[in-house]
Amino acid sequence: MIAILEAQRAGLLRAKNWLPNLVAGLIVGVVALPLAMAFAIASGVKPEQGLYTAMVAGAVVAVFGGSRLQIAGPTGAFIVILAGITAKYGVSGLQIATLMAGVILMLMGFSRLGSIIKFIPAPVIVGFTSGIGVIIWVGQWKDFFGLPSVSGEHFHEKFWHLLQQLPHANLTTSALALCSLALVLLTPRIPYLRKVPGPLMAMIFSTLIVSLFHPEGVATIGSAFGGIPQKLPDFALPEFTFSDMVQLIGPAFTIAMLGAIESLLSAVVADGMAGTRHDSNQELIGQGLANIIAPLFGGFAATGAIARTATNIRNGGNSPLAGIIHSVVLLMILLFLAPLANNIPLCALAAILFVVAWNMSELPHFVEMVKKAPKTDTAILLITFLLTVFTDLVVAVNIGVILAAFSFMQRMAGAVEIQQHSEDDLEKELQIIGHKKLPPQVMVYSIDGPLFFGAAETFQRALAQTNTEPKALVLRLNHVPFMDFTALQSLEHVIHLLAKHNVTILLCEANKTVQQKLTKAGIIDLVGEGHNFTTFDEALNYCELRFAENSEKMAVNER
């Protein structure tokens, strides 16, 4: 359900709930201010575009999303992707890719793919978020230490060049950055300042220092970007061609997938904190709409922000009003306080991103997974992490998911049991259904588990290599939840193989889904009319009757 309607039905838009949501929205808006500008600069665009993104996306997701507690805007997870797109295609290319990603997200929501996104394995998520954290941290060295610009297309090249430039660090910039970093970390621990967001405290302190003392060599928003315009964002349709869309389809899918993962993780965190339940498909639709509208007002990619959503809940937010108020607060700051942003030093924003990078890296959780997780999961975690850092996030996620899928299929294939049952194994069941023993020269096999392509070879080998030459082979399918086409082909091969040895295949106890697949694949016709049974008892009765008739015919012939 759309968040605003769900909140209205729950009575959360009544006057008694206005004050807590007003307070929560005000606090979240203040928290979002430095983060929005920092994420924008790190993504290669102007700081005001971060504010536009937070304002527009925050309001749209609050109204049309699937979680009434979600706060959306630019996030650290996007930095690596967006910076690469901006560097290659420019700001206009970034906005076009964002708009396309919004369409993809909406299609995913309408196609009800929200639940599928949840199945991306934890080692892959932790691996790429930790990798992003490392890239953000190293990427902020230039502004944190006041270093000259460095070149290099790949991470290891930039990292090496930054190390070479460290002796040329600007001491004033570095000292101000370290003070800002200390304020971000220590403000929540100081008794009288606990309720003041650390990033805001660091930004105010560093801005006052620059405004009062004008230290030489300290880069600011004013010196780097010419300040922030004190006006509403302009509405403009990005100009693009079909060729641009073809070029940007890959980046757009990357933005969409990462946005889906991040927003749904944030919604899950919100549910855990507040005891709510979000609609994952509606959340994707809301995020998609936000990413379509934000670029039209100068913004770029946005998604659910876990830290800001958690701040909203901790401060009493319980409805979309908090998200809307957060957007209004940013709008008021933009209209009335924009000139004050000229003296915000970039090193302070870099210090804020240092903390964001640390939180994203989840180092304690990363180390714990390496120590405690199974070897396969640990390998997937490390491979995803290394590929994120040294190659590309898209490559890392794709390979991580593929490896996780292969690992899962291997375990599932190993869990499928194809077992031959002797008369002793079936003794109790035979008594219950009224049979003293198995009919002569009848073998019984049962399959336990999903019969898919990963287990097809095991299945084929088990049935084809029987130690005796039976007259009939009864295949029990009551514990098979599904069969895929590869398994059906293997079954067909086994039927043909055993038919050459005059062995009759009898199928029994298949569920409705498996029965439909067997019929559609032609297996029922292949085994022959009357060789498919609902119960095991019916299959045994058929064997007893048929082989009894055959025995009588043989006896008559011998006479």
Side-chain angles (χ1 to χ4, degrees):
M1 185 186 296
I2 296 176
I4 196 78
L5 297 179
E6 194 267 344
Q8 184 182 22
R9 291 189 182 185
L12 297 173
L13 301 184
R14 295 172 184 167
K16 66 178 182 180
N17 288 307
W18 289 0
L19 183 59
N21 284 286
L22 177 64
V23 172
L26 178 63
I27 293 171
V28 175
V30 171
V31 170
L33 175 65
L35 293 174
M37 292 190 292
F39 293 146
I41 293 170
S43 299
V45 298
K46 296 179 179 180
E48 63 265 25
Q49 291 182 271
L51 298 178
Y52 300 159
T53 304
M55 286 161 41
V56 176
V60 173
V61 170
V63 174
F64 296 102
S67 168
R68 64 174 185 253
L69 304 168
Q70 186 81 280
I71 302 295
T75 66
F78 273 143
I79 288 176
V80 177
I81 290 296
L82 303 189
I85 296 172
T86 306
K88 188 171 183 179
Y89 301 103
V91 176
S92 62
L94 173 61
Q95 292 178 324
I96 294 167
T98 299
L99 198 152
M100 293 169 63
V103 174
I104 294 169
L105 280 166
M106 290 194 73
L107 291 174
M108 290 168 66
F110 286 125
S111 301
R112 310 194 67 79
L113 295 178
S115 58
I116 295 177
I117 301 295
K118 297 176 185 177
F119 294 110
I120 295 179
V124 176
I125 294 175
V126 174
F128 79 72
T129 52
S130 297
I132 290 171
V134 171
I135 295 172
I136 293 173
W137 176 59
V138 173
Q140 293 306 304
W141 285 12
K142 174 185 173 295
D143 290 334
F144 190 92
F145 297 109
L147 302 175
S149 297
V150 297
S151 60
E153 183 180 353
H154 301 290
F155 173 83
H156 66 279
E157 295 171 338
K158 293 178 183 177
F159 180 65
W160 177 245
H161 291 156
L162 284 167
L163 287 176
Q164 290 178 317
Q165 293 292 347
L166 278 179
H168 306 292
N170 183 297
L171 296 181
T172 306
T173 299
S174 301
L176 189 57
L178 288 169
C179 290
S180 300
L181 180 61
L183 283 171
V184 175
L185 296 173
L186 298 177
T187 296
R189 302 180 184 181
I190 300 173
Y192 296 103
L193 297 176
R194 283 176 181 169
K195 293 188 177 181
V196 180
L200 180 65
M201 179 63 72
M203 189 180 71
I204 292 173
F205 167 79
S206 59
T207 303
L208 285 173
I209 294 295
V210 171
S211 301
L212 294 173
F213 300 104
H214 304 287
E216 187 179 351
V218 176
T220 64
I221 286 179
S223 66
F225 300 99
I228 294 178
Q230 193 174 2
K231 64 184 183 68
L232 291 171
D234 297 323
F235 176 85
L237 286 170
E239 295 183 4
F240 58 92
T241 63
F242 181 74
S243 177
D244 294 331
M245 293 178 62
V246 172
Q247 278 188 320
L248 292 166
I249 190 66
F253 263 106
T254 304
I255 293 173
M257 288 301 299
L258 193 56
I261 294 168
E262 189 79 359
S263 64
L264 293 178
L265 283 176
S266 180
V268 169
V269 170
D271 288 347
M273 293 180 68
T276 56
R277 186 176 180 182
H278 74 280
D279 183 332
S280 58
N281 295 307
Q282 183 60 45
E283 181 63 21
L284 293 182
I285 293 170
Q287 294 291 343
L289 190 60
N291 281 282
I292 290 173
I293 297 176
L296 304 180
F297 291 93
F300 55 94
T303 185
I306 296 175
R308 275 161 275 172
T309 299
T311 302
N312 176 37
I313 297 168
R314 291 193 192 104
N315 287 281
N318 62 4
S319 82
L321 283 176
I324 296 170
I325 295 298
H326 138 271
S327 296
V328 173
V329 168
L330 291 174
L331 177 62
M332 294 298 103
I333 292 172
L334 179 69
L335 293 178
F336 298 106
L337 302 177
L340 300 179
N342 285 351
N343 289 328
I344 296 176
L346 300 185
C347 63
L349 298 180
I352 293 170
L353 288 179
F354 266 30
V355 178
V356 170
W358 169 261
N359 292 333
M360 283 197 67
S361 69
E362 297 186 275
L363 184 60
H365 185 42
F366 186 96
V367 172
E368 184 181 15
M369 284 190 71
V370 170
K371 289 180 178 178
K372 297 181 179 180
K375 290 182 180 179
T376 305
D377 290 338
T378 301
I380 292 170
L381 170 70
L382 295 175
I383 289 170
T384 305
F385 170 77
L386 293 172
L387 287 175
T388 301
V389 173
F390 291 104
T391 59
D392 180 74
L393 177 62
V394 181
V395 173
V397 173
N398 286 341
I399 291 180
V401 170
I402 290 170
L403 290 176
F406 281 156
S407 174
F408 172 76
M409 287 185 289
Q410 184 182 34
R411 288 195 289 264
M412 287 294 292
V416 177
E417 292 186 9
I418 295 94
Q419 185 176 1
Q420 180 185 350
H421 293 287
S422 65
E423 193 167 88
D424 293 336
D425 297 331
L426 299 169
E427 183 179 0
K428 291 184 179 179
E429 187 176 1
L430 290 173
Q431 289 177 355
I432 292 172
I433 60 178
H435 291 268
K436 294 182 180 180
K437 59 181 181 178
L438 283 175
Q441 292 187 292
V442 172
M443 295 180 65
V444 178
Y445 275 87
S446 68
I447 304 173
D448 191 353
L451 200 53
F452 67 112
F453 63 90
E457 184 183 354
T458 304
F459 164 73
Q460 186 173 319
R461 187 170 58 249
L463 293 189
Q465 295 178 352
T466 56
N467 296 322
T468 61
E469 289 288 342
K471 291 181 179 178
L473 190 151
V474 179
L475 192 57
R476 305 186 69 178
L477 304 173
N478 54 321
H479 293 301
V480 179
F482 70 86
M483 296 178 74
D484 72 358
F485 189 68
T486 305
L488 291 167
Q489 284 186 316
S490 293
L491 178 57
E492 181 180 351
H493 176 77
V494 169
I495 293 170
H496 283 302
L497 185 66
L498 294 178
K500 294 178 180 179
H501 297 276
N502 297 318
V503 179
T504 302
I505 295 285
L506 306 178
L507 306 178
C508 66
E509 301 175 286
N511 64 39
K512 185 177 179 181
T513 302
V514 173
Q515 185 71 34
Q516 289 174 346
K517 291 183 180 294
L518 291 169
T519 303
K520 187 176 180 180
I523 300 297
I524 301 300
D525 292 335
L526 184 63
V527 295
E529 186 177 355
H531 290 174
N532 179 44
F533 304 95
T534 305
T535 66
F536 182 45
D537 183 27
E538 291 175 356
L540 293 182
N541 287 337
Y542 174 85
C543 291
E544 289 178 345
L545 182 62
R546 177 177 174 179
F547 296 141
E549 290 177 354
N550 289 342
S551 299
E552 290 177 3
K553 288 179 181 178
M554 289 177 63
V556 170
N557 291 334
E558 287 177 0
R559 290 173 190 169

